[in-house]
């Protein structure tokens, strides 16, 4: 697959929306464990007690010889957990005393900076299944979700006010539809948003909730035509010569993602820039012993040790972190 795109690429993980109060994996474990269906299922409750990794538990139960009641319990609890995240995202504001004083317009300005042209569009890839972009990015170039019939309310402040309902649940196209329409899905856009692990408001081509959760994520992606196509696009964009990837909130824990990053670095001159409040030494220690970790670390082009409160303060001032990101990653000042 050959794609001409902007050299500036965004990749977001759970830490991105954590800036706005959304839970990380260990916190989401507690939400799932507390769910009434989990507490009513001794099997699921017992497995969660023995494993703090809810994704591993989800994968074990959904792929194992467990009852339909057990599978329904973990699936419902996980889905409702993501609805809780959606509630948190919708509740974010800059009112007096707000717990996360982040100036959202500056965040939106950063996101909009990834827009390209019709000939070289911009790409945003997210590993999150939440609706942050649909809810909170409403000032800037409207993103296109390839293959998804985007609701007119998405990417507007109007959508931010509404709870998720059945009218906002969207089915995914079949393999036949993608093969027939893939070119048109990627045409006439300056900014594309690809949710590599699905979304909490998507149902798969066989009409199940489509979120890639648990282990063997690469196998789950291959089973869903849209996600498989998205992953091919991810590789094609990152394998362009000398691209620059900004990673925000990704913990480098997904082998299928890391393999693409490593190949981009080693064979195509990809440079990886990271925004994270964690120390660079912590990331290096985690990466260096892992498969593809050394390659990813060798491709580091910049590291910005800030959270969003520091980078985009509520008083609208231009923080040193935001100024450095503009000049060192985007190679220009963002107006």
């Amino acid at each position: 697959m050959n794609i001409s795109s902007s050299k500036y690429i965004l990749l977001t993980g759970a830490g991105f929306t954590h800036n706005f109060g959304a839970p990380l994996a260990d916190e989401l474990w507690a939400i799932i464990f507390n769910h009434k269906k989990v507490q009513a299922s001794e099997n699921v409750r017992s497995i969660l007690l023995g494993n703090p990794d809810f994704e591993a538990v989800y994968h074990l139960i959904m792929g194992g010889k467990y009852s339909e009641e057990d599978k329904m319990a973990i699936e419902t609890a996980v889905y409702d957990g993501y609805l809780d995240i959606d509630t948190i995202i919708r509740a974010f504001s800059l009112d007096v005393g707000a717990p996360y004083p982040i100036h959202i317009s500056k965040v939106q300005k950063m996101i909009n900076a990834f827009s390209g042209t019709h000939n070289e569009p911009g790409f945003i890839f997210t590993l999150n299944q939440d609706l942050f972009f649909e809810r909170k990015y409403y000032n800037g170039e409207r993103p296109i979700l390839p293959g998804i019939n985007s609701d007119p309310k998405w990417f507007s402040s109007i959508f931010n006010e509404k709870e998720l309902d059945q009218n906002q649940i969207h089915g995914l196209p079949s393999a036949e539809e993608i093969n027939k329409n893939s070119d048109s899905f990627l045409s006439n856009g300056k900014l594309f948003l690809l949710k590599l692990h699905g979304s909490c408001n998507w149902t798969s081509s066989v009409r199940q909730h489509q979120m890639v959760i648990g282990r063997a994520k690469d196998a789950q992606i291959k089973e869903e035509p849209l996600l498989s196509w998205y992953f091919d696009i991810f590789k094609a964009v990152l394998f362009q010569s000398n691209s620059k990837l900004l990673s925000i909130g990704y913990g480098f824990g997904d082998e299928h993602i890391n393999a693409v990053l490593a190949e981009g670095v080693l064979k195509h001159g990809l440079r990886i820039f990271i925004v994270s409040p964690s120390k660079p030494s912590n990331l290096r220690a985690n990466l260096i012993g892992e498969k593809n970790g050394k390659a990813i670390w060798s491709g580091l082009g910049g590291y910005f040790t800030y959270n969003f409160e520091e980078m985009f303060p509520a008083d609208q001032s231009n923080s040193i972190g935001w100024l450095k990101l503009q000049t060192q990653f985007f190679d220009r000042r963002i107006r």
Side-chain angles (χ1 to χ4, degrees):
M1 178 184 291
N2 293 317
I3 292 179
S4 294
S5 74
S6 167
K7 67 179 288 187
Y8 305 102
I9 307 159
L10 177 61
L11 173 67
T12 70
F16 184 94
T17 43
H18 184 60
N19 283 289
F20 300 90
L24 294 175
D26 54 349
E27 299 165 310
L28 193 50
W29 177 96
I31 293 172
I32 292 166
F33 180 77
N34 293 343
H35 196 281
K36 61 183 181 181
K37 285 189 176 294
V38 168
Q39 291 300 312
S41 170
E42 190 54 39
N43 281 337
V44 178
R45 179 179 175 277
S46 177
I47 296 170
L48 279 167
L49 282 172
N51 192 335
D53 184 344
F54 82 87
E55 292 198 51
V57 172
Y58 180 90
H59 182 70
L60 174 68
I61 295 174
M62 296 303 293
K65 295 181 180 180
Y66 290 87
S67 70
E68 288 303 314
E69 289 78 11
D70 290 339
K71 292 181 179 183
M72 179 62 71
I74 190 66
E75 184 176 28
T76 301
V78 169
Y79 181 68
D80 286 353
Y82 280 95
L83 292 183
D84 285 352
I85 292 175
D86 192 49
T87 299
I88 292 169
I89 290 172
R90 288 194 307 109
F92 169 79
S93 72
L94 266 180
D95 294 338
V96 175
Y100 302 97
I102 300 166
H103 204 276
I104 192 66
S105 68
K106 285 286 182 68
V107 178
Q108 293 168 341
K109 187 173 290 188
M110 178 194 68
I111 294 169
N112 187 58
F114 287 92
S115 301
T117 65
H118 286 297
N119 292 329
E120 294 185 339
F123 280 85
I124 297 171
F125 299 98
T126 182
L127 306 177
N128 300 340
Q129 294 101 344
D130 60 55
L131 300 176
F132 174 86
F133 286 98
E134 293 91 330
R135 298 238 189 241
K136 293 298 182 182
Y137 175 59
Y138 44 78
N139 287 317
E141 184 70 30
R142 181 182 172 89
I144 294 173
L145 285 79
I148 301 295
N149 294 320
S150 178
D151 191 288
K153 297 184 182 69
W154 294 359
F155 311 110
S156 74
S157 57
I158 296 174
F159 184 53
N160 184 57
E161 300 171 357
K162 305 292 184 180
E163 291 185 7
L164 191 63
D165 59 34
Q166 287 302 310
N167 293 327
Q168 296 295 338
I169 304 299
H170 290 259
L172 302 188
S174 66
E176 181 181 1
E177 291 173 299
I178 293 171
N179 291 334
K180 180 180 179 181
N181 300 304
S182 59
D183 289 342
S184 63
F185 286 159
L186 285 176
S187 65
N188 299 320
K190 295 181 180 180
L191 182 62
F192 291 97
L193 171 63
L194 279 71
K195 307 180 86 167
L196 296 175
H197 288 172
S199 184
C200 65
N201 67 326
W202 292 359
T203 56
S204 78
S205 51
V206 293
R207 299 303 179 259
Q208 298 171 327
H209 288 305
Q210 185 51 64
M211 295 187 289
V212 176
I213 298 171
R215 298 299 172 257
K217 290 178 181 175
D218 52 342
Q220 296 180 60
I221 288 171
K222 290 176 182 177
E223 291 175 356
E224 179 56 56
L226 183 75
L227 298 186
S228 179
W229 181 55
Y230 274 11
F231 198 66
D232 288 341
I233 296 171
F234 179 59
K235 290 186 287 186
V237 171
L238 266 64
F239 292 170
Q240 294 184 114
S241 296
N242 302 314
S243 292
K244 301 176 76 172
L245 176 80
L246 182 63
S247 171
I248 306 179
Y250 173 49
F252 297 90
D254 289 330
E255 290 185 5
H256 61 298
I257 299 296
N258 290 351
V260 176
L261 298 179
E263 185 171 347
V265 168
L266 295 177
K267 296 183 179 180
H268 305 281
L270 177 69
R271 285 294 172 262
I272 300 171
F273 294 72
I274 297 172
V275 173
S276 172
S278 298
K279 295 179 180 179
S281 57
N282 292 339
L283 175 62
R284 183 183 185 279
N286 291 333
L287 277 177
I288 213 69
E290 297 295 326
K291 183 179 180 181
N292 295 311
K294 289 182 179 179
I296 291 172
W297 184 253
S298 73
L300 189 67
Y303 198 108
F304 306 91
T305 51
Y306 303 94
N307 60 34
F308 276 12
E309 287 184 37
E310 297 165 328
M311 185 167 279
F312 306 109
D315 64 7
Q316 302 189 51
S317 62
N318 284 317
S319 69
I320 188 66
W322 174 225
L323 292 173
K324 286 182 176 180
L325 184 66
Q326 292 175 62
T327 57
Q328 295 175 22
F329 177 76
F330 290 106
D331 306 310
R332 69 188 192 278
R333 291 291 300 273
I334 307 299
R335 303 298 179 184

